Amino acid sequence: MTLTSNAGPALNPAQQEAVDHTEGPLLVLAGAGSGKTRVLTARIARLVQEGHARPAEILAVTFTNKAAGEMRERITRFLGEEPSGMWIGTFHAIGARLLRAHAELVGRTSSFTIYDEDDTLAVVKRLMERHRLSPKLYTPRAIGAAISDARNALVPPAEFTSLALTPMAKAVAPLYAEWDEAFRSANAVSFDDLLWLPVQLLQQHEAVREKWSRRFRHVLVDEYQDTNHAQYELIRLIAAGHGNVAVVGDDDQAIYGWRGADVRNILEFERDWPQAHVVRLEDNYRSSPSILALANVVIAENTERRGKTLRATRPDGGPVTLLGALDDRDEADAIVDDILTRRNRGDAALGDVAILYRTNAQSRPFEEALRRRVVPYRLVGAVRFYDRREVRDLIAWLRLVANPADEEAFRRAIGVPRRGIGDTTVELIAATAREHGISLLAAARREDLLAGARASTREALATFAELVDRFREIAEDASVDHLLGRIVDLTGYGEALRAEGPEGLDRLDNVAEMIRSAAETVIDDGGEVGLRPLDHFLQRATLVAGLDQFGPDADAVTMMTLHTAKGLEFPVVFIAGLEQGLFPLSRSLDDPESLEEERRLFYVGITRAERSLHLSWARSRRRNGELMPSVLSSFVTPAAEKLVVHSATVRLRATGRVIGMRPVREPTAWDETGPRTWRANPAREKPVEIEDMSQDMPAFVKGERVRHKTFGSGTIADVSGNGRDLKVTVDFDDEEVGRKRLVAAFASFERGVD
């Protein structure tokens, strides 16, 4: 039967095949833009319309509440009425309904509370206090994440304890052993328990399992490639009695392994369901032929995949381009110029455009380039750069160093990282400061005025004040990026972020980007006479952070990470930062599974584009304050290169370097900052020589006289670094300017000044 309704156009043959399959397991491998949601909803409608199942006998599982709502709306349109009694929801929502029905079997009442992240973190903190586990050693968030991973992998406390080999795992084990009792006694469940407990319920109570298996005669799952072990087991237990399980997904879009998703669930579907019927949806209704050609070539490099080839159904929209830039600032400027050119020509509105990148830290140069050109933008799935917690923390330190009387900066800086000084102590300091008419920092130095505080607290305050003094000395003649680096190291802020686990590592990336921003600020603006570099940086950062955000309906460029972009589509897409070590990330290069997931992420990014796709990479990128050389991502294979049109920015062409795509050398070893050792590149039969960056830079010596366009004449007092990272410290003749440390590559000095 061919299903027709007012819900949309007729199904194509493959879609119809998936809809017509009635009994037994079904695996639908749905390529990007192939209409998978339509297949799911049409299949459900057919089951009801032809009498194969009543609505109450159908369970449909999604990953987001939004997707569940859209599915219910589509089914209602197909049927012409609300599907009364049908369960449609997320895994966690379905799990909660099962628990409410059998709460007594898991030691709860039906009115149990679902703890949110803050509530669950409070339980972790209490368990840590009970076991005298210091948050300085492992943060509550990191402990909670470890237990969450164990729950989603269905690892019980006893097994976790027996497998605990690392110091952190051994620290977590006794807390995890008391986890269930802590929640049971509060008649509560954690978010992870909404999967863990239903699985236990169905495993341990045969009558309950049979009841729900009889109730839900047909089980359908969307985005099956994103299921973790607990979600997989929940579906298997419910559907085991009849085998009518239909899953829809795309192994080529499995990009959440880092949060527990297991691509093997879809790759090995027939292991649990040997009679499964497999349907491939390969007709793509989203992207142009040139975009799909690249997507197919890229993903074909993966070995762990079911295999399918996307076919275009829409006309071509022009070739895919690959832009080479001098550095990441040049990359951002070039992309913004391209966007404005398209808008001015009427080719695309700003709202048609998305800029995608691998890490949140990459948003900063784009944010600043867009702000300079007064282009509205929307940052999706992340906080704007200067509003991020770690950036605001360090801004507070800089403000306190610049202005010791800044009360708000003092209040924030003294708490990051934690040093045993709580709100009560801060209020005591504030009261003392008001009483004696001095700043909070001055009050913190006065042990005689803080007799009510513990000796350890007074010692911590003295250490804090000494750090501020030390940073003030450094700020007198050091660059802001150097000062920030010292703050991160000497306060222990970097170590505190590392202790937060994966989220902390992402925040460290933003710290590195902030240090880079500090290195560029005075260079970009040429400085301002009468302002120290620190004052100038803070002035600009405050103005940038204070700009208004644009509303959701504004015609604005969209920016987001590639992970956030999954499920979305845009007429024009830019994918930036295609460099080895950044995309793919360096930590994936020695792990074949991680590398394949990174390639799937690239595939996801490519297939977000409807009519126009533009890739870019930078010859160099600043990492931890240093400009490091970059090489083109290994994802751009020779076969992929043939499908793109190469170009270079004006600044890159102006260097006079040959614009061969692959340099003579390629990296052989990496660390967190980028490539460290190199070898001859075997990928090119006729390698193109690229000049070393240091050859572009003139040599400077101490005592040499120079002239700067803004600061005037001066004498070089010190020289450090090399190549494009060469820095010179200059004592300028104008006393109001004084000593400044500048990057020679951008300072544009005149030499030989009398």
Side-chain angles (χ1 to χ4, degrees):
M1 170 185 172
T2 300
L3 187 69
T4 58
S5 75
N6 59 0
L11 302 169
N12 67 37
Q15 292 172 332
Q16 191 68 52
E17 180 184 353
V19 168
D20 288 344
H21 179 82
T22 304
E23 296 294 324
L26 172 68
L27 170 61
V28 180
L29 294 171
S34 63
K36 67 178 179 61
T37 304
R38 177 165 170 74
V39 166
L40 266 178
T41 53
R43 177 177 170 80
I44 292 171
R46 180 177 183 271
L47 289 172
V48 175
Q49 287 179 336
E50 296 192 354
H52 297 288
R54 299 189 308 274
E57 293 177 320
I58 295 174
L59 170 65
V61 190
T62 67
F63 268 83
T64 67
N65 290 314
K66 180 182 178 183
E70 291 176 351
M71 184 180 293
R72 182 175 291 277
E73 289 176 6
R74 289 195 185 198
I75 293 170
T76 299
R77 289 201 300 271
F78 264 118
L79 297 177
E81 61 181 357
E82 184 76 18
S84 178
M86 187 182 299
W87 281 26
I88 304 176
T90 65
F91 276 98
H92 293 89
I94 299 299
R97 293 184 73 171
L98 290 172
L99 290 182
R100 298 282 183 201
H102 303 281
E104 73 285 352
L105 295 180
V106 293
R108 311 296 198 275
T109 72
S110 60
S111 60
F112 64 77
T113 302
I114 300 174
Y115 277 6
D116 63 15
E117 184 178 358
D118 289 340
D119 295 328
T120 302
L121 211 56
V123 174
V124 174
K125 291 175 182 177
R126 285 198 299 273
L127 290 173
M128 291 178 69
E129 290 171 1
R130 185 182 306 168
H131 288 270
R132 302 182 185 279
L133 182 61
S134 171
K136 293 182 179 179
L137 185 61
Y138 301 111
T139 67
R141 194 174 298 277
I143 296 291
I147 294 175
S148 175
D149 289 344
R151 296 300 252 195
N152 285 303
L154 299 181
V155 178
E159 183 180 350
F160 187 93
T161 300
S162 67
L163 296 175
L165 299 177
T166 66
M168 182 174 181
K170 291 178 180 178
V172 170
L175 279 66
Y176 188 23
E178 298 180 12
W179 188 261
D180 287 293
E181 181 54 35
F183 281 89
R184 189 182 297 112
S185 63
N187 192 33
V189 298
S190 70
F191 197 63
D192 298 317
D193 286 341
L194 296 176
L195 297 176
W196 166 273
L197 291 175
V199 169
Q200 280 199 325
L201 179 71
L202 297 176
Q203 287 176 336
Q204 297 172 6
H205 300 277
E206 184 177 354
V208 173
R209 182 171 67 252
E210 290 179 352
K211 170 187 174 180
W212 292 105
S213 187
R214 287 193 304 269
R215 162 72 187 274
F216 296 125
R217 295 182 52 247
H218 286 273
V219 179
L220 301 96
V221 186
D222 193 13
E223 302 286 6
Y224 191 68
Q225 79 280 350
D226 293 334
T227 52
N228 61 30
H229 186 54
Q231 292 161 338
Y232 153 82
E233 187 67 11
L234 181 63
I235 295 302
R236 190 189 68 80
L237 289 166
I238 294 175
H242 48 70
N244 293 327
V245 55
V247 302
V248 180
D250 184 2
D251 53 308
D252 290 334
Q253 295 188 73
I255 59 173
Y256 295 119
W258 52 276
R259 68 182 189 194
D262 190 346
V263 70
R264 289 174 298 181
N265 292 345
I266 193 169
L267 293 177
E268 301 173 5
F269 184 76
E270 293 98 325
R271 177 194 60 190
D272 294 312
W273 312 98
Q275 305 305 315
H277 181 64
V278 179
V279 177
R280 287 174 168 79
L281 304 184
E282 298 176 304
D283 287 344
N284 177 282
Y285 296 93
R286 177 189 300 153
S287 303
S288 69
S290 58
I291 294 170
L292 295 184
L294 179 63
N296 289 328
V297 164
V298 165
I299 202 62
E301 294 292 318
N302 275 7
T303 58
E304 295 297 316
R305 62 189 296 258
R306 301 295 300 249
K308 62 183 174 306
T309 301
L310 296 179
R311 297 185 294 264
T313 62
R314 59 182 298 168
D316 206 350
V320 177
T321 65
L322 177 59
L323 175 71
L326 184 62
D327 54 35
D328 41 349
R329 294 167 63 223
D330 184 35
E331 176 187 46
D333 289 339
I335 288 175
V336 173
D337 285 344
D338 191 339
I339 292 170
L340 290 176
T341 299
R342 291 171 188 276
R343 183 192 65 178
N344 295 338
R345 285 200 311 245
D347 292 346
L350 297 179
D352 293 336
V353 179
I355 301 174
L356 310 181
Y357 35 76
R358 180 62 183 84
T359 66
N360 274 313
Q362 289 172 257
S363 76
R364 204 273 304 173
F366 288 104
E367 289 188 65
E368 296 198 350
L370 289 163
R371 289 177 187 276
R372 283 196 302 270
R373 305 293 295 275
V374 198
V375 178
Y377 69 90
R378 184 181 300 107
L379 200 62
V380 178
V383 179
R384 293 188 175 219
F385 187 79
Y386 285 98
D387 291 334
R388 292 170 189 167
R389 185 193 85 196
E390 57 278 14
V391 174
R392 293 176 70 86
D393 287 346
L394 293 176
I395 289 288
W397 269 100
L398 293 178
R399 283 171 51 190
L400 187 61
V401 170
N403 175 18
D406 189 327
E407 179 173 335
E408 293 305 316
F410 176 93
R411 287 177 178 272
R412 185 166 190 131
I414 203 166
V416 288
R418 297 184 182 278
R419 50 178 51 80
I421 301 173
D423 292 341
T424 302
T425 300
V426 173
E427 291 308 318
L428 172 63
I429 295 170
T432 302
R434 285 194 299 271
E435 181 182 348
H436 292 82
I438 57 179
S439 70
L440 270 64
L441 182 61
R445 303 178 194 278
R446 299 279 299 273
E447 288 194 34
D448 59 312
L449 300 180
L450 299 172
R454 295 194 302 265
S456 60
T457 300
R458 293 197 299 272
E459 182 179 348
L461 289 170
T463 301
F464 175 76
E466 289 171 4
L467 277 172
V468 175
D469 290 341
R470 184 171 180 181
F471 296 144
R472 284 180 62 77
E473 291 177 4
I474 293 173
E476 285 303 315
D477 59 4
S479 62
V480 184
D481 56 316
H482 176 74
L483 172 61
L484 272 171
R486 299 300 288 163
I487 290 173
V488 171
D489 291 339
L490 296 180
T491 63
Y493 190 67
E495 289 303 315
L497 289 181
R498 288 186 184 91
E500 292 184 12
E503 181 182 340
L505 294 178
D506 288 342
R507 293 189 184 280
L508 272 174
D509 286 342
N510 292 330
V511 168
E513 188 62 27
M514 183 183 179
I515 292 173
R516 179 215 165 149
S517 173
E520 294 173 354
T521 295
V522 175
I523 296 169
D524 288 343
D525 293 352
E528 190 170 325
V529 175
L531 280 183
R532 290 178 301 174
L534 173 57
D535 300 318
H536 181 75
F537 175 78
L538 287 172
Q539 174 177 291
R540 174 166 165 177
T542 301
L543 293 174
V544 166
L547 290 178
D548 292 336
Q549 299 214 20
F550 294 94
D553 297 326
D555 183 29
V557 174
T558 300
M559 295 199 300
M560 67 185 85
T561 64
L562 286 142
H563 278 103
T564 305
K566 187 173 182 292
L568 303 177
E569 55 191 46
F570 300 89
V572 181
V573 169
F574 293 86
I575 301 178
L578 270 173
E579 297 137 37
Q580 196 76 342
L582 177 60
F583 192 25
L585 292 176
S586 57
R587 60 175 175 261
S588 71
L589 297 178
D590 296 324
D591 181 353
E593 287 188 13
S594 295
L595 187 59
E596 292 216 347
E597 181 161 317
E598 289 280 298
R599 189 178 285 109
R600 291 195 291 269
L601 186 59
F602 185 31
Y603 173 84
V604 166
I606 292 171
T607 54
R608 297 314 92 195
E610 295 176 355
R611 67 170 188 259
S612 184
L613 174 65
H614 308 279
L615 314 176
S616 62
W617 71 292
R619 293 279 192 185
S620 58
R621 189 172 294 272
R622 192 170 293 276
R623 300 180 178 94
N624 296 336
E626 292 186 52
L627 198 64
M628 306 292 293
S630 302
V631 294
L632 183 63
S633 170
S634 58
F635 291 163
V636 186
T637 61
E641 280 193 50
K642 294 177 182 178
L643 299 175
V644 302
V645 174
H646 303 294
S647 63
T649 65
V650 172
R651 286 186 61 200
L652 180 57
R653 292 197 300 269
T655 63
R657 302 190 192 105
V658 178
I659 309 172
M661 292 311 300
R662 299 182 183 278
V664 174
R665 299 183 303 156
E666 67 176 12
T668 56
W670 299 77
D671 60 21
E672 66 276 5
T673 65
R676 282 303 186 193
T677 59
W678 302 73
R679 70 177 179 189
N681 184 355
R684 293 186 64 92
E685 295 179 2
K686 297 179 180 179
V688 179
E689 190 68 48
I690 293 178
E691 300 174 14
D692 189 284
M693 286 187 173
S694 62
Q695 295 176 7
D696 296 338
M697 291 304 307
F700 290 93
V701 295
K702 289 183 181 180
E704 185 176 359
R705 294 283 291 170
V706 293
R707 183 189 301 278
H708 185 273
K709 63 180 181 180
T710 302
F711 305 133
S713 300
T715 303
I716 294 179
D718 191 28
V719 180
S720 63
N722 53 62
R724 296 187 67 81
D725 279 327
L726 180 71
K727 296 184 179 72
V728 292
T729 301
V730 181
D731 289 326
F732 287 97
D733 298 343
D734 188 333
E735 293 183 359
E736 290 189 13
V737 176
R739 171 172 288 193
K740 290 191 179 294
R741 191 164 180 250
L742 303 169
V743 178
F746 300 99
S748 300
F749 288 124
E750 282 184 52
R751 311 181 71 177
V753 177
D754 293 334

